[in-house]
């Protein structure tokens, strides 16, 4: 197994805790309180705006046309496809774009995005890519598993479009190249440097867990 594909096992405990979190399971079952999802939706909308900035930094730091193209395409996908899903759900809740942009990010949200942006600005492409990797990877993994686990009740699930988007082949394909790119970036690193990359990955998976928990309890701070 390559270095990048082995990272999931390094974060196995918190990775599985995230999948088994009441927010994620209720999402799959279609029983999640809509006010909880509304809180999540607004926070995730704000998160994605910062997340997209990290890929802009990555494009600037790229030294090949291929990487520049990939990072730019991902930024567009975030701002178009993912944000379109959020806008559709917000329309269902009667939330305007102005209300979304006026929402205040929670402490958890700010800490997560500040960490990614700091790593993007101060680290290399390996650190940057590792920091953002868990967001896409956990969402794809969780959505596919939810789709299979709750297949019998998916049709009437209010959150079906969320599950379908992140469980789709197109979404997985959008970051499939991360594995080889990260493997190439760490190929000449020492064991100590690779350990640092592993720590960054685990930290971002922990932030993903905290994001679910923050949303479930509608916490703005501690």
């Amino acid at each position: 197994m390559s270095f990048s594909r082995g990272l999931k096992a390094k974060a196995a405990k918190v990775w599985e805790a995230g999948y088994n979190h009441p927010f994620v399971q209720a999402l799959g079952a279609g029983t999640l309180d809509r006010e909880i999802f509304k809180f999540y939706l607004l926070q995730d909308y704000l998160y994605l705006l910062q997340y997209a900035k990290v890929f802009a930094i990555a494009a600037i730091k790229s030294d090949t046309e291929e990487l520049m193209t990939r990072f730019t395409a991902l930024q567009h996908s975030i701002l178009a496809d993912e944000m379109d899903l959020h806008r559709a759900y917000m329309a269902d809740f009667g939330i305007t774009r102005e209300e979304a942009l006026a929402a205040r990010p929670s402490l958890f949200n700010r800490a997560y995005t500040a960490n990614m942006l700091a790593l993007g600005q101060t680290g290399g492409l390996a650190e940057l890519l590792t920091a953002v990797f868990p967001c896409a990877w956990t969402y794809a993994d969780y959505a596919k598993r939810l789709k299979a686990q709750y297949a019998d009740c998916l049709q009437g699930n209010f959150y079906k479009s969320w599950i379908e988007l992140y469980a789709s082949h197109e979404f997985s394909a959008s970051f499939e190249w991360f594995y080889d790119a990260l493997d190439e970036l760490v190929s000449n690193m020492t064991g100590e440097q690779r350990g640092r990359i592993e720590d960054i990955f685990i930290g971002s998976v922990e932030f993903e867990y905290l994001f679910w928990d923050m949303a479930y309890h509608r916490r703005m701070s501690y």
Side-chain angles (χ1 to χ4, degrees), residues 171-187:
F171 181 73
S172 292
S174 72
F175 70 90
E176 182 68 26
W177 61 273
F178 280 21
Y179 300 104
D180 289 342
L182 184 56
D183 285 337
E184 177 64 26
L185 290 167
V186 305
S187 61

Side-chain angles (χ1 to χ4, degrees), residues 1-204:
M1 182 179 292
S2 72
F3 173 83
S4 62
R5 293 183 183 276
L7 288 171
K8 180 180 175 181
K10 299 286 183 180
K13 184 176 180 180
V14 66
W15 189 291
E16 290 308 304
Y19 181 69
N20 291 308
H21 193 281
F23 183 105
V24 176
Q25 289 299 307
L27 195 69
T31 57
L32 184 67
D33 185 298
R34 294 193 183 188
E35 287 304 306
I36 292 176
F37 188 73
K38 179 179 178 179
F39 183 92
Y40 157 80
L41 197 62
L42 285 167
Q43 290 297 317
D44 202 44
Y45 183 85
L46 297 174
Y47 166 88
L48 286 173
L49 291 174
Q50 301 303 311
Y51 183 63
K53 291 180 183 180
V54 183
F55 291 102
I57 296 171
I60 292 170
K61 291 197 170 190
S62 298
D63 56 7
T64 68
E65 182 179 353
E66 179 185 6
L67 281 177
M68 287 177 65
T69 301
R70 287 187 181 279
F71 284 125
T72 302
L74 262 178
Q75 186 185 34
H76 178 267
S77 178
I78 293 163
L79 294 171
D81 301 337
E82 279 198 80
M83 297 300 268
D84 278 349
L85 176 65
H86 283 65
R87 293 180 188 111
Y89 268 124
M90 285 192 290
D92 289 340
F93 280 107
I95 303 170
T96 66
R97 183 174 183 273
E98 290 69 27
E99 287 174 320
L101 293 176
R104 178 173 174 264
S106 74
L107 174 65
F108 306 91
N109 197 343
R110 285 180 281 131
Y112 188 6
T113 55
N115 181 68
M116 287 193 300
L117 287 165
L119 286 166
Q121 291 165 346
T122 62
L125 278 179
E127 287 79 7
L128 186 155
L129 192 55
T130 304
V132 299
F133 207 162
C135 180
W137 197 353
T138 57
Y139 269 52
D141 179 63
Y142 292 0
K144 289 174 184 176
R145 291 162 68 181
L146 289 175
K147 187 175 180 180
Q149 182 178 345
Y150 294 101
D152 293 344
C153 57
L154 188 63
Q155 195 55 43
N157 188 335
F158 178 75
Y159 308 108
K160 179 184 176 182
S161 59
W162 187 98
I163 296 170
E164 293 282 8
L165 173 69
Y166 292 111
S168 69
H169 170 74
E170 290 78 13
F171 181 73
S172 292
S174 72
F175 70 90
E176 182 68 26
W177 61 273
F178 280 21
Y179 300 104
D180 289 342
L182 184 56
D183 285 337
E184 177 64 26
L185 290 167
V186 305
S187 61
N188 294 317
M189 285 187 175
T190 65
E192 183 178 352
Q193 289 171 324
R194 289 189 178 205
R196 167 65 176 155
I197 295 299
E198 291 173 359
D199 288 342
I200 291 171
F201 184 86
I202 294 168
S204 284

